[in-house]
Amino acid sequence: MTRHLARGLLVLIALSVSGCAAFSPDSGMTDVSDLTGQAINKDVAFVRTAEGANAVEARVRQLLSRTLSAETAVQIALLNNKGLQAAYNELALAETDLVEQSLPPNPVFAISRISGNGASEIERQVVGDILALATLPFRSDIARDRFRGAQLRAALATLRLAADVRRAYVRAVAGNEMVGLLTDAKATAESTAQLAVKLGETGSLNKLDQAREQVFYAETTADLATARQAAASARERLARLMGLWDDGLDFRLPDRLPPLPRRPQALPSIEADAVAHRIDLQIARLELAALAKALNLTEATRFVTLLDLAGISRRTQDPEGPPFRERGFDVQFQIPIFDGGEVRVRQAAETYNLAFNRLTERAVNVRSEARDAYRVYRSTYDIAGHYQREIIPLRKIITEEMQLRFSSMQVDIFALLTEARQRLASLRGAIDARQRFFLAQADLQTAVNGGGVPAAGGDNPTTIAAAAPAGGGH
């Protein structure tokens, strides 16, 4: 009887082992690459060897050798950011959980020997957790769903990093453009202030007009210092996201933001696209499915939580008689007298309901976020285009006409300088409008594919400097 039980236990274990999960060559990174490739069309790499690290370093150096575009910056970050590599390490750890959950419980072998007065007794046992073996397919299926969720979380971390890099790149380049504009404005304001001082010495300019020109120079100088600090901070944030060390901090950025696209994107089904493609929603759906399976497993095992079967073989040696052997088995199970499993079932049911309501709430929010992101995208495109098509050309005409009138002595120098200040304010507004558009473009991609909540515009010091009027205040 014991021999048959042991054999049956071993056969059941062998059948369970045949369906076990094994470690993949890339820790599940193929699916992560496929998911992110559809959204951002960039290479991702899980660096685990010295050869892989050397290949990534060579690729990063190659990309840094030329002026960075937004796409190049994203690619560098996806290869070089150590925080993203840590997210991929978490994926590898999740795979170990999958393999562990798919393995049957190890049988326990026990042997004991008792002797005295010339007699001895030797007992051997093999113990197996029958309940764990019976529920192994269900637990393995749940673990597989959770590993798929870990793959989606790794993809979400990849998309979040790409979105953060795009925003940081836009702010860094806009900071460079603002610094260039204010540098030229400061030079003009300095010449004007010096002219005002000389005219004041000759009595041709009163103190009020002198103070106006000098305060414009002082405020422009302060604005330039603020813009330089904002540009430096934006550049440092971009360097952090790209994971650059000392030898990579001299990367080159353009002096200006790119021009607006000829026409904005038309996304009539953006809500459906967001609900279908948002990775955070896919994660929530998988977690809900895993909870449903866990609930079924809890209900199936609510009355029996312990079921161990042991085969026993005992050999007794008596000095007054011949030795004899005994065989048998031992079954242990829990009697649900006080706890019939209702608490565990209720906990599992409420956990499932909680996840279902969270998923529904998230789906509603995703649709709203997608609508709002597209509205912001279109409005910022229209505003930036309005600056580009209307305001800046009109300012150019006004400046040219004022210069002609100044040449013909129809206006004085102070009217020309007043126009210069107004044109500076328009140019700063145009830079700010283009920056807001490219940030909205990045947020729109995030709203459709996932990748985290976009940062508030008030957190951007470059935007604040760009939006400041020529007088230096809000």
Side-chain angles (χ1 to χ4, degrees):
M1 179 67 176
T2 306
R3 186 180 296 110
H4 291 321
L5 286 172
R7 287 177 179 174
L9 184 61
L10 291 174
V11 170
L12 186 56
I13 291 175
L15 291 175
S16 301
V17 169
S18 64
C20 291
F23 288 106
S24 60
D26 61 352
S27 301
M29 280 298 298
T30 299
D31 290 345
V32 175
S33 179
D34 292 341
L35 284 168
T36 56
Q38 296 171 7
I40 58 178
N41 193 27
K42 293 288 180 296
D43 297 329
V44 296
F46 185 15
V47 181
R48 309 178 72 178
T49 63
E51 293 79 5
N54 292 334
V56 166
E57 184 179 357
R59 179 82 182 281
V60 170
R61 281 200 305 266
Q62 178 189 9
L63 294 173
L64 288 171
S65 63
R66 55 182 181 268
T67 302
L68 295 186
S69 65
E71 300 304 316
T72 305
V74 169
Q75 183 61 82
I76 292 173
L78 296 184
L79 295 175
N80 203 46
N81 184 281
K82 300 307 178 185
L84 184 61
Q85 292 298 311
Y88 295 159
N89 289 130
E90 292 178 356
L91 174 60
L93 288 173
E95 188 180 39
T96 64
D97 293 337
L98 168 63
V99 174
E100 181 182 28
Q101 290 298 321
S102 67
L103 293 174
N106 292 323
V108 178
F109 293 91
I111 183 170
S112 62
R113 183 179 184 277
I114 301 175
S115 62
N117 296 327
S120 64
E121 180 180 280
I122 299 176
E123 180 178 290
R124 302 177 183 86
Q125 292 188 26
V126 55
V127 184
D129 189 342
I130 303 301
L131 183 63
L133 284 174
T135 59
L136 180 62
F138 302 98
R139 291 187 290 109
S140 180
D141 195 22
I142 293 171
R144 208 172 302 277
D145 287 344
R146 297 200 183 281
F147 177 64
R148 176 60 177 170
Q151 289 178 309
L152 290 174
R153 284 190 292 274
L156 186 63
T158 305
L159 295 180
R160 180 177 294 115
L161 176 62
D164 289 343
V165 171
R166 284 196 173 90
R167 297 186 190 106
Y169 177 87
V170 169
R171 288 171 177 144
V173 177
N176 286 348
E177 187 170 358
M178 186 63 65
V179 167
L181 176 64
L182 290 175
T183 299
D184 294 339
K186 179 188 174 184
T188 302
E190 184 177 12
S191 300
T192 304
Q194 292 174 354
L195 176 61
V197 171
K198 292 179 181 180
L199 291 176
E201 292 174 351
T202 62
S204 302
L205 190 66
N206 59 46
K207 287 186 177 181
L208 176 60
D209 291 333
Q210 289 183 59
R212 285 172 177 169
E213 301 309 321
Q214 290 170 355
V215 77
F216 174 60
Y217 170 63
E219 290 174 345
T220 304
T221 301
D223 288 346
L224 176 58
T226 302
R228 282 175 173 163
Q229 184 275 323
S233 296
R235 182 184 177 90
E236 285 294 340
R237 173 164 173 75
L238 179 60
R240 290 196 300 271
L241 291 173
M242 292 192 296
L244 298 180
W245 201 246
D246 292 342
D247 55 350
L249 295 179
D250 58 346
F251 59 89
R252 298 191 303 274
L253 291 175
D255 295 329
R256 296 175 56 84
L257 288 169
L260 295 177
R262 291 188 175 182
R263 57 182 62 87
Q265 293 177 279
L267 299 174
S269 58
I270 185 171
E271 295 178 48
D273 291 342
V275 171
H277 298 117
R278 280 284 287 261
I279 291 184
D280 50 351
L281 273 184
Q282 295 181 46
I283 293 173
R285 293 189 191 106
L286 269 179
E287 290 178 345
L288 188 66
L291 284 173
K293 294 175 182 177
L295 176 60
N296 292 334
L297 180 60
T298 302
E299 290 178 341
T301 60
R302 63 179 298 180
F303 296 112
V304 180
T305 59
L306 173 66
L307 180 57
D308 289 344
L309 175 63
I312 303 173
S313 174
R314 180 181 298 148
R315 183 178 183 276
T316 303
Q317 178 71 46
D318 192 337
E320 298 180 358
F324 60 92
R325 187 181 298 274
E326 300 171 294
R327 295 182 178 89
F329 65 91
D330 176 62
V331 177
Q332 296 185 24
F333 60 90
Q334 189 179 70
I335 301 176
I337 297 177
F338 303 106
D339 182 5
E342 182 179 355
V343 174
R344 292 188 297 112
V345 172
R346 182 68 62 87
Q347 288 174 339
E350 290 305 322
T351 302
Y352 175 84
N353 291 335
L354 184 149
F356 176 79
N357 288 326
R358 293 297 188 196
L359 173 60
T360 305
E361 178 193 32
R362 191 75 198 110
V364 172
N365 293 343
V366 162
R367 290 172 62 91
S368 175
E369 290 169 7
R371 292 193 302 268
D372 187 55
Y374 186 70
R375 278 195 295 265
V376 173
Y377 168 81
R378 282 306 308 265
S379 65
T380 54
Y381 178 84
D382 293 339
I383 293 170
H386 184 68
Y387 269 96
Q388 182 174 293
R389 293 187 307 270
E390 302 292 338
I391 298 177
I392 299 303
L394 287 173
R395 279 296 175 193
K396 183 179 179 181
I397 293 173
I398 293 172
T399 299
E400 291 173 350
E401 290 297 322
M402 289 293 290
Q403 289 174 346
L404 289 174
R405 283 164 172 74
F406 175 72
S407 300
S408 61
M409 306 296 291
Q410 297 181 23
V411 296
D412 59 14
I413 183 63
F414 301 107
L416 189 63
L417 295 176
T418 300
E419 168 54 29
R421 288 196 291 269
Q422 293 173 350
R423 183 169 182 269
L424 174 62
S426 297
L427 291 174
R428 296 175 71 177
I431 294 174
D432 179 54
R434 277 188 292 125
Q435 178 184 210
R436 290 181 183 277
F437 165 74
F438 286 111
L439 290 175
Q441 189 177 52
D443 293 343
L444 178 62
Q445 188 173 10
T446 296
V448 175
N449 299 313
V453 180
D459 295 336
N460 176 21
T462 305
T463 301
I464 294 174
H474 265 291

